[in-house]
């Protein structure tokens, strides 16, 4: 299949780092990806404000929290990433013997090539531990050929 999973580390920005790797070739732009998502949230309050969680007093608080490094993004931010990059995002999840497709977001952008991200759910949702995202890419893409020692083959 020539698809590989690369760990981006568990530092609270794994979703943004995964998108950075897939869109820009490295994790170096994770904060730029985060800021771009937050700017999109800011410009589209009417659409996204109904979906903020209870820990934030208002929509502005949600955006301020999301701008901070270490704040985990979720499905709302994934949807925004599909709009920013005009590419669908396929979320896959490990299962015994391989991976299964959990969801595909942004299918309206299917002509532009799909970004594939692995989501590893927390072992126990009661602990408050969040899941983790890692980028998936084709082995023949230049960045991956140069950094193939960090791969875990799928």
């Amino acid at each position: 299949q020539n698809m590989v999973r690369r760990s981006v580390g568990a530092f609270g920005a794994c979703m943004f780092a995964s998108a950075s790797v897939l869109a820009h070739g490295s994790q170096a732009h994770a904060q730029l990806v985060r800021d771009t998502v937050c700017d999109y949230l800011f410009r589209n309050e009417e659409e996204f404000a109904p979906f903020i969680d209870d820990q934030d007093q208002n929509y502005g608080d949600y955006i301020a929290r999301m701008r901070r490094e270490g704040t985990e993004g979720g499905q709302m931010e994934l949807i925004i990433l599909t709009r920013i990059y005009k590419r669908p995002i396929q979320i896959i999840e490990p299962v015994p013997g391989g991976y299964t497709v959990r969801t595909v977001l942004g299918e309206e952008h299917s002509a532009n090539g799909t970004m594939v991200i692995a989501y590893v759910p927390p072992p126990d949702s009661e602990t408050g531990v969040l899941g983790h995202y890692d980028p998936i890419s084709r082995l023949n893409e230049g960045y991956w050929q140069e950094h193939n020692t960090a791969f875990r083959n799928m």
Side-chain angles (χ1 to χ4, degrees):
Q1 199 174 19
N2 292 329
M3 299 294 283
V4 292
R5 176 178 163 196
R6 177 162 189 249
S7 177
V8 292
F11 53 90
C14 55
M15 184 187 71
F16 299 107
S18 293
S20 178
V21 166
L22 295 171
H24 303 285
S26 79
Q27 296 181 55
H29 302 285
Q31 188 62 46
L32 172 65
V33 172
R34 178 189 294 278
D35 289 341
T36 303
V37 167
C38 290
D39 292 345
Y40 190 97
L41 281 166
F42 180 78
R43 289 190 310 273
N44 294 278
E45 179 175 356
E46 190 172 295
E47 180 179 1
F48 293 106
F51 302 104
I52 65 166
D53 59 34
D54 294 336
Q55 92 180 58
D56 298 294
Q57 302 248 341
N58 61 52
Y59 191 69
D61 290 344
Y62 179 85
I63 294 172
R65 183 171 58 83
M66 190 55 58
R67 283 193 189 277
R68 289 194 300 266
E69 186 176 339
T71 301
E72 291 282 346
Q75 185 157 344
M76 186 163 63
E77 289 74 26
L78 285 167
I79 290 168
I80 292 168
L81 286 169
T82 69
R83 294 177 184 181
I84 291 169
Y85 292 108
K86 297 188 180 357
R87 294 172 65 186
I89 295 177
Q90 181 182 65
I91 303 297
I92 62 173
E93 190 171 303
V95 295
Y99 288 82
T100 186
V101 175
R102 183 174 182 191
T103 189
V104 178
L105 303 166
E107 291 180 276
E108 66 273 18
H109 304 296
S110 62
N112 298 327
T114 301
M115 298 169 76
V116 182
I117 299 176
Y119 174 75
V120 180
D124 178 6
S125 61
E126 298 298 317
T127 64
V129 174
L130 299 173
H132 179 73
Y133 295 96
D134 280 326
I136 306 292
S137 189
R138 285 184 172 70
L139 189 55
N140 62 357
E141 292 178 8
Y143 176 84
W144 300 105
Q145 289 175 342
E146 294 171 24
H147 299 86
N148 64 10
T149 57
F151 296 156
R152 292 187 300 249
N153 282 323
M154 292 182 58

